[in-house]
Each structure stands twice: as C-alpha cells, then as structure tokens.
C-alpha cells in the first residue's frame, strides 16, 4: 500500500485538466520517471510555481472537476512519480478518478464546505494530512496546531484497490 500522508498543497481552482497535470507533449515518454519534472508545469494559477511549490508535497486539495479533459493514465502517473498519492476535491472527472484508484492512489471526494475548511486550515501555513484508509478518515493539521478530522466516502472495491496497490496487483492476486 502506498503512503497516504504528508504535506498538503491547495490549488484554488476548479476544472484543472489532465493537460495541466501533465502536458500532452510528454505523452510519448516511455517511463513514469520521465514525467516527473513536468508535473503541473502548464498550470496557470496566481501565486503557484511548480518549480518550488511541489517540493515535499504529498497531497493536493483542489476545487471541483479535477482531472477533466483527455482520459489518460499519465496524469495519475505524473502525480505518483512525484510522491503525490492523494487528491482531494468536491468532484473528479470520472475516468481520472478511476485511474487514480486503478493506480492504488486516492481520489477523495468531499463536499465544498469541507474542502473550503481544508483551504482555510492551509492558508498561509504549512499543512499536513494523514489518511486512515481503513477507517475512512483524514486528519489535517497545520503548523499553528489547528486540527481538522473528516470522514470520507470510499467504496469497498476502491478501498481494496488502494490497499492492494492498484488494479494490476489486485488482478494478480485474484485472477
């Protein structure tokens, strides 16, 4: 099972698409590691610099419809190779969401007000998240000592994919 804890980055925009997650010009790369330096390099967002803001990030919190656009596994792969195994948003593009779980990663859907609470917790402070997959809870803390505990929904099958490391590992064990 992958690691589901670490520093949180808030990207305050809806509709972040797969071309912004990993630009299409890199889709000819033959290894996941070749995608690593290009994560979010085309994302235009006030105050965001992919060269500095992604350092030590393990969780992304964003607004709705994250991962929209072209359907491709490269978007979750680019996150994974950068150590980001969790994205939290009010909604996801259907194929992106399933690709995350198929890779043994988590796409956690929370209501807008809970996502807003995570943004407020992280505003101007270093914030950290710890995901308890089994109990379906996340604990967010910031460097001021503020804590936020949230329960999240996840189907039993998606939880199984996460716990086994993804679809390939699940299939190897079960078929």
């Amino acid at each position: 099972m992958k690691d589901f804890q670490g520093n949180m980055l808030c990207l305050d925009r809806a509709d972040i698409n797969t071309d912004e997650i990993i630009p299409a010009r890199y889709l000819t790369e033959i290894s996941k590691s070749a995608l690593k330096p290009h994560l979010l390099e085309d994302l235009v967002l006030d105050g965001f610099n992919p060269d500095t803001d992604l350092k030590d990030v393990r969780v992304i919190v964003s607004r709705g419809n994250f991962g929209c656009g072209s359907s491709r596994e490269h978007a979750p792969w680019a996150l994974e190779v950068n150590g980001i195994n969790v994205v939290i948003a009010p909604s996801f593009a259907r194929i992106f969401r399933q690709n995350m779980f198929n890779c043994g990663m988590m796409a956690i859907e929370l209501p807008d007000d809970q996502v807003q609470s995570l943004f407020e917790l992280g505003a101007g402070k270093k914030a950290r998240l710890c995901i308890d997959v089994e109990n379906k809870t996340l604990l967010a803390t910031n460097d001021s000592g503020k804590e936020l505990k949230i329960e999240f929904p996840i189907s039993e099958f998606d939880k199984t994919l996460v716990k086994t490391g993804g679809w390939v590992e699940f299939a190897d064990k079960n078929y």
Side-chain angles (χ1 to χ4, degrees):
M1 190 164 78
K2 292 178 173 44
D3 188 24
F4 300 108
Q5 61 184 346
N7 295 334
M8 174 178 82
L9 172 67
C10 294
L11 299 175
D12 197 1
R13 201 188 95 200
D15 304 315
I16 293 177
N17 66 60
T18 54
D19 286 323
E20 292 169 311
I21 298 168
I22 186 66
R25 62 187 169 273
Y26 302 113
L27 301 185
T28 58
E29 298 295 345
I30 59 172
S31 72
K32 289 181 186 180
S33 62
L35 302 174
K36 186 174 183 169
H38 307 294
L39 178 66
L40 298 172
E41 75 178 23
D42 283 357
L43 179 63
V44 177
L45 187 59
D46 285 343
F48 174 70
N49 181 342
D51 294 329
T52 57
D53 293 346
L54 291 170
K55 185 176 175 13
D56 299 324
V57 168
R58 300 294 171 254
V59 178
I60 290 178
V61 180
S62 188
R63 302 299 180 178
N65 202 28
F66 190 89
C68 59
S70 302
S71 61
R72 58 176 73 118
E73 293 83 2
H74 295 77
W77 291 347
L79 293 165
E80 178 184 35
V81 75
N82 279 280
I84 300 169
N85 292 316
V86 180
V87 179
I88 299 171
S91 62
F92 292 89
R94 182 183 56 81
I95 293 172
F96 175 84
R97 180 189 178 285
Q98 195 56 54
N99 283 338
M100 288 283 288
F101 285 107
N102 287 347
C103 290
M105 302 161 68
M106 298 194 71
I108 297 175
E109 291 181 334
L110 295 177
D112 286 317
D113 63 324
Q114 290 179 331
V115 169
Q116 181 60 35
S117 294
L118 289 171
F119 271 87
E120 291 168 7
L121 182 124
K125 297 178 176 36
K126 188 172 182 177
R128 185 170 171 76
L129 269 146
C130 184
I131 309 294
D132 180 341
V133 177
E134 192 58 43
N135 292 307
K136 302 188 260 188
T137 59
L138 66 85
L139 178 64
T141 57
N142 67 19
D143 56 3
S144 295
K146 184 175 179 185
E147 289 187 352
L148 182 62
K149 187 173 183 177
I150 298 174
E151 292 182 19
F152 60 86
I154 184 172
S155 73
E156 286 303 311
F157 183 69
D158 287 340
K159 186 163 62 165
T160 299
L161 287 178
V162 167
K163 290 170 73 174
T164 57
W167 174 251
V168 172
E169 293 81 356
F170 174 81
D172 282 347
K173 288 174 105 175
N174 294 285
Y175 299 105

